[in-house]
Amino acid sequence: MKVGTDSVLLGAWTPAPVADNACFDVLDIGTGCGLLALMIAQRFANASVTAIEIDPAAADAARENVARSPWAERIDVLTGDIMVANFDRRFDLIISN
């Protein structure tokens, strides 16, 4: 998958929604290859990221990228449609590219 400048800028400019030491939950809608999920996990050690992708091949690519990263324990990649997804928690930050 291509990585565009807009994705990189969004990941770099996204502010943390809480104080520096507070934990927070992030939802990445349409994660694609997982770039934004990975950038958020890299930037914020207190972030737990749920990434959802409707395309199974893209979700598999995201899972592989996450598995090869040092932040794999804080990123969960789901395959599914956000319009019918049910989550057991509220998110402090929602991102999408």
Side-chain angles (χ1 to χ4, degrees), residues 34-35 37-45 47-49 65-76:
L35 175 68
L38 288 162
M39 289 184 75
I40 295 298
Q42 178 185 25
R43 288 185 56 217
F44 305 112
S48 175
V49 183
N65 290 335
V66 167
R68 293 175 182 221
S69 80
W71 311 285
E73 72 281 352
R74 294 189 291 112
I75 304 172
D76 186 24

Side-chain angles (χ1 to χ4, degrees), residues 16-58:
V18 296
D20 287 341
N21 59 355
C23 294
F24 62 98
D25 291 318
V26 180
L27 176 63
D28 178 9
I29 300 173
T31 196
C33 66
L35 175 68
L36 289 179
L38 288 162
M39 289 184 75
I40 295 298
Q42 178 185 25
R43 288 185 56 217
F44 305 112
N46 52 343
S48 175
V49 183
T50 299
I52 188 166
E53 174 57 51
I54 197 167
D55 177 16

